[in-house]
Amino acid sequence: MQSKKVDWIIYLVATTFFMETLDSTVITTALPQMASDFGVSPVDVGIGITAYLLTLATCIPISGWVADRFGSKKVFILAIVLFTFASILCGLSENLTFFTCARILQGVGGALMVPVGRAIVLQNTQKDGLIRAISLITWPGLVGPVVGPAIGGFLTTYATWHWIFFINIPIGIIGIIFSFILLEEKKEKIRKPFDIYGFLLTGVALSSIIYAIELTRHIKDSQLEILGFMVLGVISGCCSIKHMKKSPHPMIDLSLLKIPTFTTTLWAGLFFRIAIATVPFLIPLFLQIGLGMDPFKAGLIVLSIFLGNLAMKTVTTPLLNKYGFKLVMMVNGAMIIVTFLLSACINENMQIGLIVVILFCGGLTRSLQFTSINTLSLADIPKEKISSASSVSSTAMQLSMALGIAIGSLTLTLVSLMNSGNIETPSVSDFRLALVLIAIFPIIGMIILHKLDSNAGISIRKLN
């Protein structure tokens, strides 16, 4: 396939990824206005976020089988259609029940769109172009959570919350048209039967764990529920693994875990993503509640993380090609820890310019680590297992991002209770200590990465 066509496919998939990740956070700033229109409390509208996350967690694992069974092109186009149609329904919602159902449908579309899109890119990219391709399709996952609340706040303030969803319509239509033009149909010649037990057990496990994570935001009133759903999730997960080890056609191919680069980056990525996912949640609160900034000013400052993400894209591929994955990720992992500690130094007397520099550097490091982990995890995957590997890595990514937000919230709550007993208005010192504690997660990630061979990923590097 011609390189220009491959580039267009990468841009197409990256755009749909941005649409999906944007919708996971964009409604956070619109909750009060939506609640007013629906005649409920803002907390009640939060079910729209939860329903979306639970649907993603349940449906992502089956995306690989669906793509292999019906063809990646058909499934990807169907996913965009579902996501766009559901976006229209969300924007037309007049009550909470209708809105929640629309969000569930949107979650189904997103669950198919992301892993199948990633698989399409991998199927059409040569080994020596893998680093660049993953770099381009990684940025939506970094940018969406950062700019989502700002876009949602802007549209809610200057238009109505309905436009948060209507902006997906032109993006979806363009995505559908280009998918028909650019993509070629690919599906497995051997049709594997659907693993219904694996699907049910994995769905229960992931949805229970993510729901328990969501409940940690109200830990004072939901301790028994959190424990119950977490236990259910762990038991279901263990049963799912036991089943898939014995099944001749498991929904998730556990043989992927025998590939060192895939397994190591899967576990290391879990801890790095948890830490990185706390930043778009904690920093805006820190600037507003801790430092007393207005939402607009805080939003503009947080965008410096986004600028750091973009700036790193130009040098990621040369760095990985020259120095190798292990060295880059170890050094960059140390820099991530430093940026957390520097963020913990932010206080009322610090100049705005210095805060911007700290967050910009944080954006640089998170972009490089995400791209490195995502690329290396798929470097040694055989072509016939790409769909399955994409499903597993997408599931792990979704779980770690949900964990990150919950752990950020839980850490801040516990620190506030210990320091001042006031969880409604955490102090500057509460935020600072929370950021220091969260720096433990990338430390664990570095310990796991240390197991990597120094030549890991050499097959996809361009050595000069």
Side-chain angles (χ1 to χ4, degrees):
M1 182 172 287
Q2 296 178 350
S3 59
K4 287 186 177 180
K5 188 174 182 180
V6 174
D7 284 348
W8 277 106
I9 291 174
I10 293 171
Y11 298 142
L12 166 66
V13 172
T15 302
T16 59
F17 281 14
F18 179 72
M19 184 169 64
E20 190 274 330
T21 55
L22 185 70
D23 270 49
S24 63
T25 57
V26 72
I27 72 170
T28 53
T29 48
L31 292 181
Q33 192 180 95
M34 295 173 70
S36 176
D37 287 356
F38 292 157
V40 297
S41 69
V43 174
D44 292 332
V45 184
I47 192 175
I49 299 175
T50 304
Y52 183 76
L53 291 174
L54 292 178
T55 307
L56 283 176
T58 304
C59 296
I60 283 177
I62 67 170
S63 60
W65 180 88
V66 174
D68 289 342
R69 175 68 175 79
F70 299 103
S72 54
K73 178 178 179 178
K74 289 178 184 175
V75 173
F76 188 66
I77 293 173
L78 175 63
I80 301 175
V81 171
L82 277 177
F83 194 89
T84 307
F85 178 66
S87 297
I88 297 172
L89 295 180
C90 287
L92 296 175
S93 299
E94 296 183 354
N95 58 67
L96 185 57
T97 301
F98 188 90
F99 175 71
T100 303
C101 292
R103 285 288 279 179
I104 291 173
L105 182 62
Q106 196 178 38
V108 174
L112 294 175
M113 195 160 57
V114 173
V116 174
R118 185 198 302 269
I120 288 172
V121 169
L122 296 175
Q123 289 165 351
N124 289 285
T125 304
Q126 298 298 321
K127 284 276 188 178
D128 59 2
L130 193 59
I131 297 176
R132 176 176 173 273
I134 296 296
S135 176
L136 288 172
I137 64 173
T138 296
W139 72 264
L142 293 163
V143 174
V146 176
V147 304
I151 293 174
F154 177 82
L155 291 173
T156 303
T157 302
Y158 296 103
T160 66
W161 63 264
H162 307 81
W163 285 98
I164 289 173
F165 301 101
F166 291 154
I167 59 173
N168 289 334
I169 299 173
I171 300 175
I173 292 173
I174 292 171
I176 293 167
I177 293 171
F178 275 87
S179 295
F180 274 110
I181 295 172
L182 295 172
L183 303 183
E184 297 177 2
E185 193 57 272
K186 290 184 179 181
K187 57 184 176 181
E188 291 295 310
K189 295 179 180 179
I190 301 174
R191 295 184 175 183
K192 296 183 294 185
F194 182 64
D195 181 12
I196 183 66
Y197 294 110
F199 168 66
L200 292 175
L201 289 169
T202 306
V204 170
L206 291 172
S207 58
S208 297
I209 291 172
I210 287 187
Y211 187 61
I213 291 169
E214 285 291 298
L215 287 176
T216 58
R217 301 186 188 190
H218 315 286
I219 192 168
K220 291 180 69 176
D221 304 316
S222 309
Q223 294 173 357
L224 288 178
E225 287 181 80
I226 293 170
L227 180 61
F229 278 105
M230 193 61 74
V231 170
L232 175 61
V234 171
I235 293 174
S236 300
C238 292
C239 293
S240 175
I241 292 171
K242 185 177 180 181
H243 162 76
M244 285 185 285
K245 283 182 177 179
K246 295 181 179 180
S247 174
H249 302 288
M251 184 184 66
I252 295 175
D253 186 359
L254 296 182
S255 67
L256 292 167
L257 299 179
K258 296 178 182 178
I259 302 173
T261 50
F262 183 79
T263 304
T264 303
T265 51
L266 191 71
W267 287 108
L270 178 69
F271 288 98
F272 278 111
R273 288 189 185 104
I274 286 173
I276 290 170
T278 65
V279 173
F281 171 76
L282 282 179
I283 295 299
L285 291 178
F286 188 4
L287 298 178
Q288 293 177 67
I289 299 174
L291 304 187
M293 295 183 186
D294 62 75
F296 181 68
K297 185 176 182 180
L300 288 178
I301 293 174
V302 170
L303 286 179
S304 58
I305 301 173
F306 162 64
L307 295 177
N309 296 158
L310 290 183
M312 181 52 71
K313 292 305 173 190
T314 58
V315 297
T316 297
T317 301
L319 280 175
L320 291 173
N321 282 332
K322 184 173 182 179
Y323 297 106
F325 284 89
K326 183 176 181 178
L327 179 59
V328 168
M329 288 193 291
M330 291 296 289
V331 173
N332 191 61
M335 293 304 299
I336 288 175
I337 296 167
V338 171
T339 60
F340 269 95
L341 298 179
L342 288 175
S343 297
C345 294
I346 295 174
N347 57 56
E348 302 93 327
N349 301 317
M350 183 175 286
Q351 294 182 349
I352 298 297
L354 186 54
I355 297 175
V356 168
V357 170
I358 291 172
L359 297 183
F360 178 81
C361 291
L364 292 174
T365 57
R366 70 201 294 265
S367 175
L368 180 56
Q369 204 72 353
F370 262 39
T371 300
S372 302
I373 287 173
N374 290 346
T375 307
L376 185 59
S377 68
L378 301 169
D380 300 323
I381 303 295
K383 284 281 186 181
E384 67 273 11
K385 294 187 177 182
I386 281 179
S387 294
S388 183
S390 182
S391 299
V392 173
S393 59
S394 295
T395 302
M397 190 182 304
Q398 188 63 45
L399 182 61
S400 59
M401 298 303 278
L403 271 169
I405 296 171
I407 287 173
S409 175
L410 181 61
T411 304
L412 182 60
T413 299
L414 294 177
V415 168
S416 300
L417 284 172
M418 289 188 295
N419 283 349
S420 60
N422 185 1
I423 63 174
E424 299 298 327
T425 54
S427 64
V428 171
S429 61
D430 294 337
F431 282 103
R432 295 172 70 178
L433 180 55
L435 287 166
V436 170
L437 291 175
I438 289 168
I440 295 172
F441 287 91
I443 293 175
I444 298 173
M446 287 185 65
I447 294 172
I448 297 172
L449 284 178
H450 186 67
K451 298 177 182 178
L452 277 175
D453 186 275
S454 57
N455 289 322
I458 194 169
S459 64
I460 60 173
R461 289 167 55 197
K462 289 183 179 179
L463 303 176
N464 295 323

